[in-house]
Amino acid sequence: MNRPLTAIILMLSASQAMATELRMLTSYDQTSAYTREVAQRYIERVEEASQGDLTIGLNGPDVVSPFEQLQPVSAGVFDLLYTHGAYHTNTTGVGAAMDAVFVGPDATHESGLWDYIDEHYNELGLKLIAIPPLGSSGFQYVLKDPIEGTPGLEGRRIRGSATYTSTTQGLGGTPVLMSGGDVYSSLDRGVIDGAAWGLNGVEDFGWDEVAGYFSKPTFGQTYTYLFMNLAAFNALDEEEQAVLLEQGRELENETAGILDELALQEWESLKEKGMQETHFQPDDAERLDALVNEGIWQLGIDKSPEAVGTMREIAEQNNMTATSE
């Protein structure tokens, strides 16, 4: 009577032993909208699609700073990385430059841009898994005080990553490089007067408690990345590789709509908590997209001239970015 039960237990143990366990770093707090709706969504998709043969453990920026995460994943200390390209511009400008490309996952693949970015990161020991857009529009400013006059950020110290530098400067502000996790205390202590950020996560961070306004119109577009250590990816069997890439492609196609809807819900909730919209004057509003896109291309070219120059050529040839005059 015990033999069949013993056999079943042994089979289950063997199955569990065969499961591949991967470790992921995320550049965003584990409770943030981006980790929750992109990284964790991807983890769930992979585990379901692989029927549990692939599992992924998640580690946040409290383990490794967002600005230092690329190296340990390239070195194989962690297997996967969910991040934004602006966090590793000291290594390459390619990741950040993608924020100058219009949102369209199919076009990114069909144009050859996705493969080009993949090949670039292969040289850094990384395999590109996905480039999920964070909505159909990208950015906003969260401010302690309303916008008055033009340029709208004149005299203000504004948190940002490298992505926002030219826009903040073009609007009269002073950029302050800072991770999202440090914004609350910095706003509270008056170290900064506002923060450039995406369209989701202000409520998660509690910034409504220390800032009274969010800016309109929104501007630009932004993407995050899923990378895997290249050697670890190559060590997987073809079926496991296919699961990771297929679920990455599916993720790319669904995140913009999900995060657009969440942004609308968040703005309504923030208003209920006392935050208000503050609007850039028409002269500033009209140049927001141009400021951010041209600034992002220039940031990328300054860091990686040849690679980002080729990216821009691909994007312009396929009508995926505003063409330079």
Side-chain angles (χ1 to χ4, degrees), residues 159-240:
R159 173 273 168 197
S161 62
T163 297
Y164 310 104
T165 296
S166 65
T167 311
T168 296
Q169 290 176 332
L171 295 168
T174 300
V176 179
L177 185 65
M178 182 183 297
S179 68
D182 295 327
V183 170
Y184 184 102
S185 61
S186 296
L187 282 168
D188 192 37
R189 292 182 288 114
V191 174
I192 56 175
D193 305 298
W197 194 252
L199 305 189
N200 308 92
V202 172
E203 191 169 26
D204 289 330
F205 280 116
W207 295 348
D208 56 284
E209 299 172 4
V210 288
Y213 301 87
F214 54 87
S215 71
K216 297 291 183 180
T218 60
F219 56 99
Q221 55 281 315
T222 189
Y223 299 82
T224 48
Y225 287 85
L226 278 165
F227 295 113
M228 185 167 181
N229 174 273
L230 183 59
F233 180 83
N234 290 335
L236 299 175
D237 62 40
E238 291 184 2
E239 185 175 349
E240 290 173 321

Side-chain angles (χ1 to χ4, degrees), residues 6 8 10 35 52-53 63 80 83 94 120 130 134 145 160 190 220 229 255 300:
T6 301
I8 290 170
L10 289 172
T35 296
D53 288 340
V63 177
L80 290 153
T83 192
V94 165
H120 176 78
L134 299 181
D145 299 309
N229 174 273
T255 53

Side-chain angles (χ1 to χ4, degrees), residues 109-283:
H109 282 269
E110 292 164 6
S111 66
L113 183 57
W114 199 99
D115 289 336
Y116 182 80
I117 295 171
D118 181 30
E119 291 169 5
H120 176 78
Y121 279 95
N122 289 171
E123 297 175 2
L124 301 175
L126 297 167
K127 169 65 182 171
L128 179 59
I129 302 295
I131 313 176
L134 299 181
S136 54
S137 184
F139 309 116
Q140 64 183 336
Y141 285 97
V142 176
L143 301 167
K144 291 176 73 72
D145 299 309
I147 295 167
E148 296 177 353
T150 182
L153 300 180
E154 188 168 17
R156 307 191 204 206
R157 290 171 55 81
I158 303 294
R159 173 273 168 197
S161 62
T163 297
Y164 310 104
T165 296
S166 65
T167 311
T168 296
Q169 290 176 332
L171 295 168
T174 300
V176 179
L177 185 65
M178 182 183 297
S179 68
D182 295 327
V183 170
Y184 184 102
S185 61
S186 296
L187 282 168
D188 192 37
R189 292 182 288 114
V191 174
I192 56 175
D193 305 298
W197 194 252
L199 305 189
N200 308 92
V202 172
E203 191 169 26
D204 289 330
F205 280 116
W207 295 348
D208 56 284
E209 299 172 4
V210 288
Y213 301 87
F214 54 87
S215 71
K216 297 291 183 180
T218 60
F219 56 99
Q221 55 281 315
T222 189
Y223 299 82
T224 48
Y225 287 85
L226 278 165
F227 295 113
M228 185 167 181
N229 174 273
L230 183 59
F233 180 83
N234 290 335
L236 299 175
D237 62 40
E238 291 184 2
E239 185 175 349
E240 290 173 321
Q241 291 178 354
V243 167
L244 292 173
L245 291 172
E246 287 167 5
Q247 296 310 311
R249 183 70 183 267
E250 291 294 325
L251 188 74
E252 291 174 340
N253 287 322
E254 68 182 5
T255 53
I258 291 169
L259 290 166
D260 279 350
E261 180 60 30
L262 287 175
L264 293 174
Q265 295 173 11
E266 183 168 317
W267 286 324
E268 288 305 310
S269 180
L270 290 172
K271 288 177 182 177
E272 291 174 3
K273 291 182 175 182
M275 290 194 81
Q276 301 176 51
E277 292 183 6
T278 184
H279 292 257
F280 285 105
Q281 297 297 314
D283 286 350

